[in-house]
């Protein structure tokens, strides 16, 4: 049984079929990539897996559990975190608060505890603070703990978003175009960072990426979608030489 | 000791007001204004949780205060005073001072349930749609209470509970509860309850918004999708915020009703809701301390305009700037106050403090008080 399994998933929005019969399996401690031209339906796949859309057809299971009935926050609580293509941090609160709030599923106390400062509240807040500080430390963000994300350079914001996703203690990390908007030096750093996260946290990573350099260096396995259909899958080497993929990217008649 | 300075000053001020009232050192009118200030603090800070912290737009806050006012008043009249529904009080009137906080909490609970009822259908909507739903809820609550007498008379008969609350004629008798409290001990009870109520409200809100749990509300405000994806149960968070907000508004209603000893649904109309909005936007959305300052400033302003307009009127007549037949009446207050809001939106749309707290603006202030 794979950690994450997507079987025969089709997603229709009215008359538009965004994803057709999508299948994939992610094993424990594996990095795979999902590539394809703009509008191919990659982010829709992520939105399906993270629970934002419910698939029109097909099933999604995580650790053998059917994910369809769960709302997104519950799916995150079960161990699936994601980042966004256009960074979506909470810009008006500190980096530390960003990391703290994303541990909401581990709070274990309610409004009354928060108001009365019960022991449960104090213990929970302490442990959340500790986890947050640890994550910031390993992600080398401790210096920016009190800054608001909007005041940080773009590369650091990406890093904060990764830290925020990691603070949910995921088993699977979904990265939606982590290299978007980064310059070549930053991309190099990002590749190393993702590789390090992968080794350090022993998690599985599934990423959407446009920059071939990133997926080719990092991913063990690649899937290519176009117009919502999976047109190829295999190792990076196999994909590179696949005529259908080249056609999808460069257009008809290029081969 | 230094870090308790402001705490001590605050306690002394409150004690001063209570003592001044006890020994009749302060004018009754000034005391009423001070109590209104406390009530407005509750009323505004509770709305701030939804409109400020959560950045939703609730326009019917007075509706919840109205629910609280009626629930609290009916309970207090039934329990502690001789009334036309149960005849003798249900409990010994000497229990009134002891059980008044319980009544406030009960009223808060019922208001919170009403908040829940309004919040549930509003999930699918945000912004202007929620504004419309809450305005509608405000109107529904007022109309039901105003027409309760006729409805109840037709369905349940002339002696039913519905006729007891008097509908549009307003409900009274709470002065007798206050008198019952005074019989137990002759101290200024209402002043004390208002101070305790306002402190309770600010305490609850402060602890809520500073906890990681409550910061989920800000997360929802800033990016709801990100919040949901990062494990914040956004639906639940919104419900909780709405319920806490409407519950606390209910407390402000109970106090309001007991200060005047009379409550009428029409005084909790859309105008009263607008007052809450003015205070929240004046103070700065999401700023608890800003909201408290705005509530104080607003209450003072509304009252100061009475003599202020009179003064203006007299002097302009004296200087011959007004025709003899025309007097500047107090109605002009409701031109000047909205005008302030108008100017505020033009020149400082984020309010006095924006979404910052007083301690962010004056960091040194932190050394002078302790909040935990």
């Amino acid at each position: 049984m794979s950690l994450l399994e997507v079987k025969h998933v089709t997603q229709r929005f009215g008359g538009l079929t965004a994803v057709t019969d999508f299948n994939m399996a992610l094993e424990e401690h594996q990095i795979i990539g999902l590539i394809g031209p703009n509008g191919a339906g990659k982010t829709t796949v992520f939105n399906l897996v993270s629970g934002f859309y419910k698939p029109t057809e097909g099933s999604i299971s995580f650790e053998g559990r059917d994910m369809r009935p769960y709302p997104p926050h519950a799916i995150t609580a079960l161990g699936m975190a994601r980042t966004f293509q256009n960074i979506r941090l909470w810009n008006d609160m500190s980096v530390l608060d960003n990391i703290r709030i994303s541990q909401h599923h581990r709070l274990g106390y309610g409004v009354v505890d928060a108001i009365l400062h019960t022991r449960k509240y104090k213990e929970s807040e302490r442990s959340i603070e500790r986890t947050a500080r640890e994550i910031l430390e390993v992600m080398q963000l401790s210096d920016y703990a009190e800054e608001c994300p909007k005041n940080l350079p773009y590369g650091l914001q990406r890093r904060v978003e990764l830290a925020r996703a990691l603070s949910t203690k995921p088993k699977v990390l979904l990265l939606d175009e982590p290299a978007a908007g980064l310059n070549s030096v930053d991309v190099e750093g990002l590749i190393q960072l993702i590789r390090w996260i992968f080794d350090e946290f022993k998690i599985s990573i599934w990423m959407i990426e446009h920059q071939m350099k990133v997926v080719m260096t990092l991913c063990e396995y690649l899937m290519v979608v176009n117009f919502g259909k999976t047109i190829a899958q295999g190792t990076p080497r196999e994909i590179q030489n696949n005529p259908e993929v080249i056609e999808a990217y460069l257009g008809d008649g290029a081969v | 000791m230094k870090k308790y300075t402001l705490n001590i000053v605050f306690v002394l001020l409150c004690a001063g007001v209570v003592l001044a009232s006890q020994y009749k050192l302060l004018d009754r009118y000034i005391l009423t204004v001070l109590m209104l200030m406390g009530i407005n603090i509750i009323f505004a800070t509770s709305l701030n949780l939804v409109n400020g912290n959560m950045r939703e737009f609730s326009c019917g806050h007075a509706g919840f205060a109205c629910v609280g006012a009626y629930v609290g008043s009916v309970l207090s009249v039934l329990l502690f005073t001789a009334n036309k529904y149960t005849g003798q009080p249900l409990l010994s009137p000497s229990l009134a001072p002891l059980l008044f906080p319980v009544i406030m909490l009960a009223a808060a609970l019922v208001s919170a349930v009403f908040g829940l009822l309004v919040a549930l259908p509003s999930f699918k909507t945000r912004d202007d749609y929620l504004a419309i739903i809450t305005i509608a809820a405000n109107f529904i609550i007022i109309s039901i209470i105003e027409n309760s007498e006729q409805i109840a008379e037709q369905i349940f008969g002339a002696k039913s509970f519905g006729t007891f609350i008097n509908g549009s004629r307003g409900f009274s008798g709470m002065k007798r509860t206050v008198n019952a409290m005074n019989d137990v001990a002759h101290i200024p009870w209402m002043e004390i309850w208002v101070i305790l109520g306002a402190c309770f409200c600010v305490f609850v809100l402060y602890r809520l918004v500073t906890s990681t749990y409550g910061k989920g509300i800000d997360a929802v405000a800033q990016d709801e999708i990100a919040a949901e994806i990062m494990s914040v149960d956004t639906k639940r968070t919104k419900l909780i915020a709405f319920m806490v907000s409407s519950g606390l508004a209910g407390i402000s209603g109970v106090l309001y009703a007991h200060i005047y000893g009379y409550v009428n649904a029409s005084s909790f109309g859309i105008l009263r809701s607008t007052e809450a909005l003015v205070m929240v936007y004046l103070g700065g959305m999401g700023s608890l301390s800003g909201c408290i300052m705005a509530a104080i400033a607003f209450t003072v302003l509304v009252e100061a305009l009475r003599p202020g307009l009179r003064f203006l009127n007299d002097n302009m007549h004296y200087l011959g700037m007004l025709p003899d037949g025309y007097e500047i009446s107090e109605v002009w207050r409701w031109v000047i106050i909205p005008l302030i809001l108008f100017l505020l939106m033009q020149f400082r749309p984020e309010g006095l403090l924006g979404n910052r707290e007083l301690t962010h603006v004056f960091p040194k202030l932190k050394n002078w008080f302790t909040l935990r």
Side-chain angles (χ1 to χ4, degrees):
Chain A
M1 188 187 72
S2 304
L3 185 60
L4 175 65
E5 264 184 310
V6 180
K7 278 185 190 158
H8 306 295
V9 163
T10 297
Q11 175 69 9
R12 291 192 196 93
F13 299 109
L16 176 83
T17 309
V19 176
T20 316
D21 194 23
F22 185 84
N23 290 283
M24 68 82 65
L26 181 65
E27 306 298 331
E28 263 173 57
H29 202 49
Q30 187 188 23
I31 301 190
I32 68 173
L34 179 63
I35 61 173
N38 282 328
K42 304 181 299 290
T43 301
T44 308
V45 170
F46 267 25
N47 283 338
L48 283 162
V49 173
S50 54
F52 245 96
Y53 303 145
K54 299 296 163 196
T56 322
E57 284 165 32
S59 70
I60 298 166
S61 67
F62 179 59
E63 296 184 304
R65 201 191 256 121
D66 184 8
M67 289 310 235
R68 282 172 298 178
Y70 290 94
H73 68 90
I75 291 178
T76 309
L78 288 169
M80 192 139 49
R82 72 173 278 189
T83 62
F84 298 91
Q85 192 174 340
N86 42 345
I87 302 175
R88 301 189 85 138
L89 290 162
W90 298 300
N91 272 320
D92 288 327
M93 50 180 115
S94 69
V95 167
L96 185 65
D97 276 344
N98 267 272
I99 312 283
R100 266 203 281 230
I101 291 165
S102 50
Q103 302 176 56
H104 232 248
H105 59 298
R106 277 204 300 280
L107 283 178
Y109 67 80
V111 194
V112 178
D113 295 297
I115 291 162
L116 298 180
H117 280 197
T118 57
R119 189 201 278 169
K120 210 155 73 176
Y121 167 84
K122 284 180 187 157
E123 276 169 10
S124 170
E125 289 284 336
R126 255 200 301 274
S127 110
I128 276 163
E129 171 91 21
R130 202 182 316 123
T131 315
R133 296 275 180 196
E134 275 167 20
I135 297 267
L136 288 180
E137 183 72 41
V138 297
M139 295 292 283
Q140 295 170 3
L141 287 164
S142 293
D143 293 347
Y144 312 103
E146 303 304 329
E147 295 280 337
C148 286
K150 64 180 174 196
N151 300 330
L152 296 177
Y154 199 73
L156 273 176
Q157 291 189 19
R158 283 266 173 223
R159 192 185 276 265
V160 174
E161 212 191 16
L162 271 172
R164 188 177 67 168
L166 285 172
S167 71
T168 66
K169 299 203 171 150
K171 294 170 187 135
V172 173
L173 188 56
L174 308 175
L175 304 176
D176 194 349
E177 298 200 27
L182 297 184
N183 61 34
S184 56
V185 181
D186 284 345
V187 166
E188 205 58 54
L190 182 83
I191 291 174
Q192 277 168 22
L193 181 65
I194 293 175
R195 166 69 61 194
W196 179 81
I197 288 170
F198 179 65
D199 293 335
E200 176 78 15
F201 292 89
K202 300 273 178 287
I203 55 178
S204 305
I205 295 176
W206 185 13
M207 67 167 87
I208 293 174
E209 190 45 75
H210 271 303
Q211 300 205 24
M212 284 307 135
K213 192 181 168 193
V214 180
V215 276
M216 292 300 166
T217 0
L218 282 170
C219 298
E220 301 157 18
Y221 194 80
L222 281 183
M223 304 179 75
V224 191
V225 287
N226 195 16
F227 297 117
K229 294 192 184 81
T230 312
I231 56 170
Q233 43 192 317
T235 61
R237 186 173 294 277
E238 285 164 14
I239 295 296
Q240 261 172 330
N241 302 319
N242 186 318
E244 249 186 291
V245 177
I246 296 166
E247 193 185 302
Y249 269 91
L250 302 177
D252 203 5
V255 186
Chain B
M1 243 3 241
K2 183 183 169 193
K3 65 176 184 171
Y4 292 109
T5 315
L6 284 179
N7 300 43
I8 293 168
V9 168
F10 176 72
V11 171
L12 286 179
L13 266 179
C14 292
V17 170
V18 172
L19 286 175
S21 164
Q22 173 80 346
Y23 296 107
K24 309 230 177 333
L25 300 175
L26 274 181
D27 189 34
R28 200 63 238 165
Y29 168 69
I30 291 178
L31 275 173
T32 309
V33 173
L34 285 174
M35 284 193 277
L36 269 181
M37 221 178 252
I39 286 169
N40 277 341
I41 288 175
I42 305 178
F43 195 49
T45 50
S46 57
L47 182 67
N48 186 37
L49 188 65
V50 169
N51 282 34
N53 291 87
M54 204 157 72
R55 295 284 153 107
E56 290 282 11
F57 198 76
S58 166
C59 293
H61 205 51
F64 304 119
C66 183
V67 172
Y70 269 88
V71 171
S73 306
V74 167
L75 275 179
S76 111
V77 167
L78 285 183
L79 292 179
F80 306 121
T81 69
N83 59 74
K84 62 178 181 182
Y85 190 63
T86 58
Q88 287 305 302
L90 293 174
L91 295 172
S92 157
S94 60
L95 287 172
L98 205 62
L99 290 180
F100 192 69
V102 180
I103 287 179
M104 283 203 276
L105 287 180
L109 213 65
V110 177
S111 304
V113 171
F114 270 79
L116 179 73
L117 291 179
V118 177
L120 278 175
S122 68
F123 267 150
K124 290 182 180 159
T125 61
R126 266 194 87 113
D127 308 328
D128 22 4
Y129 300 103
L130 183 76
I132 291 163
I133 287 182
T134 47
I135 291 176
N138 198 162
F139 274 111
I140 290 170
I141 290 168
I142 305 297
S143 331
I144 286 180
I145 292 175
E146 282 188 336
N147 295 301
S148 62
E149 203 171 7
Q150 287 79 4
I151 300 169
E153 208 173 287
Q154 281 156 15
I155 302 176
F156 304 110
K159 282 240 172 283
S160 67
F161 185 70
T163 59
F164 171 60
I165 67 168
N166 271 351
S168 55
R169 283 181 290 131
F171 185 75
S172 60
M174 288 76 81
K175 269 281 183 277
R176 275 175 283 154
T177 312
V178 182
N179 290 340
M181 291 188 220
N182 278 331
D183 290 341
V184 177
H186 199 78
I187 52 170
W189 285 103
M190 283 327 293
E191 283 82 344
I192 295 174
W193 293 131
V194 170
I195 291 170
L196 291 180
C199 290
F200 172 77
C201 169
V202 173
F203 174 81
V204 164
L205 289 169
Y206 175 77
R207 284 210 158 168
L208 184 63
V209 298
T210 49
S211 71
T212 304
Y213 190 94
K215 279 178 187 164
I217 297 171
D218 295 270
V220 169
Q222 290 180 28
D223 190 333
E224 194 175 336
I225 290 173
E228 178 73 26
I229 281 287
M230 299 322 293
S231 85
V232 178
D233 188 342
T234 50
K235 277 193 178 180
R236 195 186 152 85
T237 305
K238 284 199 224 167
L239 274 189
I240 296 275
F242 227 95
M243 287 178 73
V244 170
S245 165
S246 48
L248 291 173
I251 291 183
S252 82
V254 181
L255 291 168
Y256 189 89
H258 279 80
I259 287 181
Y260 291 112
Y262 168 80
V263 60
N264 192 323
S266 60
S267 50
F268 292 99
I270 203 76
L271 192 65
R272 179 73 179 142
S273 295
T274 314
E275 285 182 32
L277 288 173
V278 172
M279 288 185 266
V280 168
Y281 291 100
L282 187 67
M285 287 198 287
S287 164
L288 191 53
S289 46
C291 207
I292 295 170
M293 295 196 313
I296 294 171
F298 180 82
T299 319
V300 170
L301 185 73
V302 172
E303 295 306 324
L305 277 177
R306 289 177 203 267
L309 284 172
R310 221 158 30 231
F311 181 79
L312 192 70
N313 184 47
D314 294 349
N315 281 289
M316 282 175 88
H317 273 295
Y318 182 72
L319 294 172
M321 290 164 79
L322 274 180
D324 272 344
Y326 186 77
E327 305 283 331
I328 299 176
S329 70
E330 285 190 0
V331 177
W332 278 94
R333 286 196 300 165
W334 298 108
V335 174
I336 293 173
I337 290 161
L339 192 66
I340 289 167
L341 194 63
F342 188 91
L343 293 173
L344 188 78
M345 287 299 128
Q346 286 293 312
F347 297 107
R348 201 170 162 80
E350 72 272 28
L352 289 176
L353 291 183
N355 60 357
R356 297 180 303 171
E357 294 295 339
L358 205 54
T359 46
H360 296 150
V361 186
F362 305 106
K364 285 209 175 119
L365 211 61
K366 266 191 191 139
N367 305 330
W368 294 90
F369 72 96
T370 318
L371 270 182
R372 292 234 259 147

